[in-house]
Amino acid sequence: MVGEGGLPGGDPVAVVRQFGEQVPHSRDLGMQVLAVEDDQVRMRLVPQPWLLDDDDAADLCSSVLYSLADSAAGLAVYAATRTLTPIATLDLRMDYLRPAAGDRAVVALARCLRFTEDVALVHCEIRSEGQTQPVATGTVNFMRNTQGRRFQAADEGDQRA
Amino acid sequence: MTDVRPGPPMRIPGADAEAAWQILLARIPYARHLGLEVRRHDSGRELHLPYREPLIGNILLPALHGGVLGALVEITARVAAQSADAGGRRPQLLNCDIDYLRSARAQSTFARAEMIRQGRRSGLVRVICRQDDPPVGRVQLLFPGAAGPTRGPR
């Protein structure tokens, strides 16, 4: 059991997954939370025809990778801090290394490198599944403990009673 | 998989820049999915992202997902760069670096591009997003034909 402001319940994977998969945009793009370990989160996205870059190309649109990086990075902050207080993206930089094939799932691995009460820094690498070289990397700065309500997990009432 | 880039140069009707933007935008499946539209403003064109519920990233505020603004910024930069390119070449994004100034509310968002540098091999575009007040984005694009990492094998 965690203390005040911590992750409700005992299973961080379940809570982060529940949180991550409640986000409408993440759901719209079909993002799945694969794993939550220590300060890392792994997310997966299966390309769809409406996520492609151009009618004449078979690559994923870079902006889909951008969204995946932003989502995975935000969840990595929660994984590392074990706290579901609101965060806000301050700055996100993506570098696109090579095209991401539109017929292959992509997997993002986000790791929170450092956090304080105020900020958190996350690095994210995205690979096409089965490939060793990343298709994109991202670096994200978050502001922590921004205004707004904490996320309430479905079972939080029971856990915190 | 064959590398389809760069594609054949596209003839863009020079007389009607708004139509050119429409044509370029209509080719991007993800832009159609998001519902992006071309709009005219005083001194040029901008992209409009109408609000829809699936664009939300924070259900508590509520606020648009940072990635949705990323897409608006990137696609605005792409369309602006391609329409400004003499050969109509489709640019490949090298990187994208966005500063978020405030959370984007659940309402219409607009983005305008400014070509900072337009070279033969690369270009730099600055994009400003606004609702009532602007978050800011900045995008650097690499044009095809350059010997950059984006030209490498998968």
Side-chain angles (χ1 to χ4, degrees):
Chain A
M1 186 62 70
V2 293
E4 179 66 33
L7 287 180
D11 182 0
V13 180
V15 173
V16 170
R17 174 174 293 147
Q18 186 188 347
F19 181 79
E21 294 179 356
Q22 272 196 10
V23 173
H25 180 61
S26 305
R27 229 170 27 210
D28 185 46
L29 267 51
M31 297 181 200
Q32 312 160 261
V33 177
L34 292 182
V36 179
E37 294 161 356
D38 301 328
D39 52 2
Q40 293 191 159
V41 168
R42 199 179 293 268
M43 290 185 88
R44 182 172 187 265
L45 182 147
V46 177
Q48 304 293 339
W50 57 88
L51 301 181
L52 298 184
D53 192 49
D54 189 276
D55 282 337
D56 287 344
D59 300 322
L60 258 182
C61 185
S62 64
S63 306
V64 173
L65 303 178
Y66 189 106
S67 277
L68 184 63
D70 193 26
S71 290
L75 294 183
V77 175
Y78 293 129
T81 62
R82 307 274 146 170
T83 306
L84 287 176
T85 53
I87 58 174
T89 311
L90 281 179
D91 174 274
L92 196 167
R93 180 198 168 97
M94 289 293 284
D95 285 284
Y96 299 110
L97 307 179
R98 50 180 62 78
D103 57 357
R104 206 183 265 270
V106 285
V107 174
L109 178 63
R111 178 162 172 248
C112 183
L113 302 178
R114 163 88 171 137
F115 67 86
T116 68
E117 276 299 297
D118 297 322
V119 293
L121 179 74
V122 181
H123 188 245
C124 182
E125 286 194 350
I126 302 179
R127 288 178 170 76
S128 289
E129 214 163 53
Q131 306 279 310
T132 52
Q133 298 294 327
V135 294
T137 68
T139 305
V140 195
N141 278 290
F142 290 97
M143 184 66 94
R144 294 189 61 219
N145 299 308
T146 52
Q147 297 285 315
R149 287 178 293 140
R150 288 184 56 226
F151 170 74
Q152 302 286 317
D155 63 349
E156 190 169 11
D158 298 336
Q159 297 286 350
R160 291 169 59 85
Chain B
M1 185 174 296
T2 53
D3 191 351
V4 296
R5 305 173 199 215
M10 186 187 299
R11 285 296 118 207
I12 295 173
D16 191 347
E18 198 174 328
W21 276 48
Q22 297 278 12
I23 290 167
L24 295 173
L25 188 66
R27 296 179 54 85
I28 305 171
Y30 188 51
R32 297 197 297 265
H33 178 70
L34 291 173
L36 291 175
E37 304 169 344
V38 178
R39 287 215 175 171
R40 192 192 312 229
H41 66 81
D42 308 339
S43 55
R45 287 143 302 282
E46 64 185 6
L47 289 192
H48 169 221
L49 176 66
Y51 170 69
R52 290 183 305 120
E53 196 269 344
L55 304 179
I56 290 291
N58 182 325
I59 51 180
L60 300 176
L61 282 175
L64 300 186
H65 195 282
V68 167
L69 291 184
L72 176 61
V73 164
E74 285 191 350
I75 292 169
T76 302
R78 275 177 58 176
V79 170
Q82 188 171 1
S83 70
D85 184 65
R89 296 172 299 167
R90 182 155 63 94
Q92 276 183 284
L93 259 65
L94 180 64
N95 61 46
C96 173
D97 190 345
I98 299 183
D99 294 308
Y100 293 92
L101 303 185
R102 51 185 61 77
S103 66
R105 303 292 164 180
Q107 63 190 64
S108 275
T109 313
F110 302 87
R112 295 182 188 181
E114 176 194 357
M115 292 294 303
I116 303 291
R117 180 180 184 277
Q118 189 183 351
R120 193 170 52 82
R121 298 174 64 196
S122 69
L124 181 68
V125 187
R126 176 160 52 215
V127 178
I128 309 285
C129 286
R130 67 182 168 81
Q131 290 185 318
D132 298 325
D133 293 305
V136 169
R138 185 188 59 169
V139 184
Q140 182 169 329
L141 298 102
L142 187 69
F143 285 96
T150 52
R151 298 291 300 158
R154 288 181 205 286

